[in-house]
Each structure stands twice: as C-alpha cells, then as structure tokens.
Amino acid sequence: QVQLVESGGGLVQAGGSLRLSCVASGSIFNIDHMGWYRQAPGKQRELVATITSGGTTNYADSVKGRFTISRDNAKNMVYLQMNSLKPEDTAVYYCNVHCIAPIAGAYDYWGQGTQVTVSS
C-alpha cells in the first residue's frame, strides 16, 4: 500500500516560518510531479506548489517568493519551506503525488494533512 505522511505543521505568528515534510512509503510508479495543496475553512482545496522529478517547480501566485518546494528522491520525501507567513496561509496542508500512466491515465495519492495556523 502507498502511504503519505505529513509533518511540521503548527501554530506560528505572522512573519514566522515553518517547514513541512512529507514521506512516502510503498511502491509508486509513473510519477509526474509531487506537490502541496491546502484547504482553509469555507474554501476549496487549492494548489500551493508542485515539483517534477527533474526539479521543475511552480507556485500559486499567493505564495511566490515566500514558499519553496523541494524533494529528496532517494529518501522519498518532499518539503515545503514557508517564510513570511500570513494569517491567510492558515489551512490544512496536504501532500500529493500525481501519477500519469501510459494506459491507466492519471491518478493521485494524498496524505492526511497537517494543520498550519498563523496568528496576527
């Protein structure tokens, strides 16, 4: 079975920093990219950042210049360094692995999420 486990969330003051980690276990094939999503109360889940196996990254406009995504393929881990945090960053953050198989098509794996709360 495939399992993703996030850690590193918590309570932090505005302007502070947190580093989220996600470790993947089990066999995962045909990975197109890995990333982080978040969902705030009353809002839809949204993309935060993604990174391909080759290291290409993309970010939501709201976090550009503040967040950095990285990965360690050998350790099956992906990270999200979050700096200059704002109250609007408060959400549950989810680790995601997006796969695209030649025949089966696209499919995703998700972690259970870790809470990030930023106080004013």
Side-chain angles (χ1 to χ4, degrees), residues 21-41:
S21 299
C22 173
V23 60
S25 62
S27 298
I28 305 177
F29 303 96
N30 305 117
I31 297 175
D32 182 70
H33 63 260
M34 302 178 69
W36 291 91
Y37 288 71
R38 67 187 182 187
Q39 187 166 24

Side-chain angles (χ1 to χ4, degrees), residues 19-89:
R19 189 184 192 227
L20 305 184
S21 299
C22 173
V23 60
S25 62
S27 298
I28 305 177
F29 303 96
N30 305 117
I31 297 175
D32 182 70
H33 63 260
M34 302 178 69
W36 291 91
Y37 288 71
R38 67 187 182 187
Q39 187 166 24
K43 295 186 177 181
Q44 298 184 68
R45 186 175 298 188
E46 65 176 352
L47 171 74
V48 177
T50 63
I51 184 168
T52 69
S53 296
T56 301
T57 60
N58 78 90
Y59 298 89
D61 289 341
S62 60
V63 307
K64 286 181 179 177
R66 300 189 298 120
F67 291 10
T68 302
I69 188 171
S70 61
R71 65 186 295 174
D72 186 335
N73 291 337
K75 293 181 171 61
N76 296 318
M77 297 191 72
V78 60
Y79 308 91
L80 185 68
Q81 178 67 46
M82 305 185 294
N83 299 325
S84 302
L85 283 162
K86 305 174 181 179
E88 51 262 46
D89 294 318

